[in-house]
Amino acid sequence: MAVLILWYNMGIVFIKGDVALDESACEKIDGYTYADYLQWDKGRRLELIEGTIVDMTPAPSRLHQEILMELGRQFSNYLLGKVCKVYMAPFDVRLPYQDEKTEETKTVVQPDLVVVCDPRKLDQMGCEGAPDLIVEVLSPTTAKHDLIVKLRLYERAGVKEYWVVHPTDQTLMAFALRKGEYGKPKVYASPERVPVDAIATFTVDLSTVFNLL
């Protein structure tokens, strides 16, 4: 086991931890790629952020999973038989930067929920390119990562909508990409319904999402 301190150019995004990787991986200075990622122990939930390993363990809480399942249920029921598809973690989203080839991609994330409306972005390994919508449900161990690092990452990648669900506050923040940037988010709470830009006729009912609490 190698003890690593993981850094990101916007600040520290993860703390010390044992990562189940081959020892040779620890010597790679130029950053890890999707090719490296495919060789790692799948017993742990790992992400790559610009070539840096981020360990997403421990497992999410029961409440986190209940909220995620309810969101997934609403999307799945509505999207049945439609072009747009919904996927929940673990599901790899590869976000190549500029002209990076698939195996050279240095950013691979596993969002809690994604909606993809372009079938060309989907393959047997997951999604390559920006989904139309990404949803992250906050946990104490991932809040900074989701609100700072992933916010900027998804903005740069061109993710049209980014939702951040706060279980404790029972709110949903919806960021929308406008002219390449996320502006001030719209904040929703139960019993409001949240519109989805990519799915014009669909809204998410927060009354059933937060009534699980």
Side-chain angles (χ1 to χ4, degrees):
M1 292 289 189
V3 178
L4 304 178
I5 299 178
L6 308 179
W7 296 81
Y8 184 69
N9 60 12
M10 298 173 191
I12 299 174
V13 300
F14 192 63
I15 60 174
K16 295 180 181 179
D18 292 331
V19 180
L21 303 174
D22 185 273
E23 289 297 323
S24 62
C26 304
E27 301 171 3
K28 193 162 186 178
I29 299 174
D30 57 346
Y32 300 99
T33 65
Y34 183 58
D36 298 316
Y37 175 87
L38 292 175
Q39 304 303 314
W40 296 341
D41 178 9
K42 294 305 180 182
R44 303 191 71 164
R45 185 179 168 193
L46 302 174
E47 293 185 324
L48 270 182
I49 305 293
E50 294 187 348
T52 298
I53 308 162
V54 178
D55 191 340
M56 303 305 291
T57 53
S61 69
R62 176 189 60 81
L63 178 57
H64 176 288
Q65 293 302 87
E66 288 185 358
I67 288 174
L68 180 58
M69 289 295 291
E70 172 58 18
L71 288 169
R73 182 192 67 79
Q74 292 191 36
F75 275 101
S76 295
N77 286 349
Y78 184 82
L79 293 177
L80 184 64
K82 295 181 172 61
V83 173
C84 294
K85 304 297 180 184
V86 60
Y87 301 93
M88 294 190 294
F91 179 79
D92 286 347
V93 175
R94 311 185 301 275
L95 298 173
Y97 182 61
Q98 296 181 341
D99 59 350
E100 283 180 341
K101 297 179 181 178
T102 297
E103 65 275 10
E104 298 170 346
T105 299
K106 291 188 175 181
T107 297
V108 185
V109 293
Q110 292 190 12
D112 287 324
L113 183 148
V114 301
V115 173
V116 182
C117 295
D118 184 351
R120 295 171 297 180
K121 293 183 178 181
L122 297 171
D123 57 29
Q124 293 303 311
M125 303 303 290
C127 173
E128 181 167 271
D132 293 84
L133 168 68
I134 287 181
V135 181
E136 299 282 9
V137 180
L138 293 184
S139 297
T141 56
T142 65
K144 180 179 178 181
H145 186 61
D146 292 338
L147 289 169
I148 299 177
V149 176
K150 283 192 168 180
L151 177 71
R152 297 180 186 180
L153 177 67
Y154 296 157
E155 179 183 71
R156 187 189 74 177
V159 177
K160 296 176 184 177
E161 291 181 87
Y162 177 38
W163 292 3
V164 179
V165 181
H166 199 307
T168 303
D169 291 349
Q170 300 186 33
T171 57
L172 184 153
M173 293 188 297
F175 295 88
L177 198 67
R178 299 288 185 267
K179 296 182 179 180
E181 296 182 351
Y182 290 139
K184 183 178 179 180
K186 292 183 179 180
V187 181
Y188 298 88
S190 179
E192 292 179 290
R193 302 186 71 96
V194 186
V196 184
D197 284 352
I199 314 169
T201 56
F202 174 66
T203 58
V204 169
D205 183 2
L206 291 183
S207 68
T208 59
V209 172
F210 292 123
N211 277 351
L212 298 167
L213 305 183

